[in-house]
Amino acid sequence: MKTLTVTGLALACLLALGSGNADAKPRNVTDPQAPRALAVDGPVQVQWNDPAQFTELRQSRNRWEAQRGDWVETLAEHLRKQADKQLPEGQKLEVTITDIKRAGDYEPWHGPNFNDVRFMRDIYPPRIALQFTLTDANGQVIEQGERKLSDTGYLFNNAMPNNTDPLRYEKRLLDDWVRRELRPERTASR
């Protein structure tokens, strides 16, 4: 009787896990079902190209580990949040992330115990390429272009000693771009 109850409980758990799986976030950034844009919401729209073509995955020494998670969507959400704070009233910003190379890299020559360890060295700086269009309230293009962001001194910034966010360097790169591109004196002169 107890075995039947435990088996029934195990079956119920498996069914619950299986039914919840449809609503779960993608297991990796290259999942064909993964979104390629944030839902339309507010004046800042962010989309991205196929992450399988990003430098982070194409040149990774551990592709499986590099594609895990939803880090592209997380960076897009961060970009939207930061740009929304800086964007002057009435303006709209559309951004397409065209490439990402995260800070650090995997070094498999350290042995199997370090296969999933991302080593932070100055030779592995974060890089993000993006295209953007900034428009006014009438839909007139104020500025558009392509930017290639990089922070070769990312390890020397002492402003984040206790930050353990695995995307902290990429987020700081996006923050710096938003501050430069949308700074008040620059948007007013346009």
Side-chain angles (χ1 to χ4, degrees), residues 147-169:
R147 301 290 187 263
K148 295 183 186 267
L149 315 175
S150 182
D151 183 3
T152 55
Y154 77 104
L155 291 174
F156 300 107
N157 185 337
N158 292 329
M160 305 185 310
N162 295 324
N163 189 342
T164 58
D165 181 345
L167 297 171
R168 63 190 172 273
Y169 301 113

Side-chain angles (χ1 to χ4, degrees), residues 35-179:
R36 297 289 185 253
L38 296 179
V40 176
D41 181 29
V44 180
Q45 302 305 315
V46 183
Q47 61 186 1
W48 52 93
N49 293 350
D50 181 8
Q53 301 306 312
F54 287 174
T55 303
E56 175 64 23
L57 296 172
R58 285 186 299 107
Q59 296 180 359
S60 179
R61 293 183 181 98
N62 186 341
R63 185 178 169 93
W64 184 84
E65 198 60 44
Q67 71 186 10
R68 281 184 41 190
D70 61 351
W71 51 269
V72 177
E73 188 171 356
T74 301
L75 289 173
E77 288 170 351
H78 179 79
L79 174 58
R80 173 190 273 176
K81 179 181 171 187
Q82 296 306 108
D84 198 36
K85 291 179 192 175
Q86 299 277 334
L87 197 63
E89 187 71 32
Q91 293 185 1
K92 292 185 178 184
L93 178 66
E94 293 180 16
V95 179
T96 301
I97 299 171
T98 58
D99 193 26
I100 298 174
K101 172 62 182 98
R102 292 177 57 191
D105 208 345
Y106 300 99
E107 296 180 346
W109 53 87
H110 291 289
N113 291 338
F114 293 96
N115 278 345
D116 60 348
V117 174
R118 182 177 286 274
F119 287 85
M120 299 301 180
R121 302 186 193 281
D122 59 356
I123 61 172
Y124 306 133
R127 295 187 306 269
I128 298 175
L130 54 83
Q131 298 170 338
F132 74 99
T133 302
L134 181 65
T135 57
D136 64 15
N138 299 323
Q140 296 293 323
V141 174
I142 298 172
E143 186 164 350
Q144 64 184 7
E146 183 175 328
R147 301 290 187 263
K148 295 183 186 267
L149 315 175
S150 182
D151 183 3
T152 55
Y154 77 104
L155 291 174
F156 300 107
N157 185 337
N158 292 329
M160 305 185 310
N162 295 324
N163 189 342
T164 58
D165 181 345
L167 297 171
R168 63 190 172 273
Y169 301 113
E170 295 79 8
K171 287 178 179 179
R172 185 175 64 209
L173 196 59
L174 292 170
D175 292 349
D176 290 346
W177 175 73
V178 166
R179 264 192 302 278

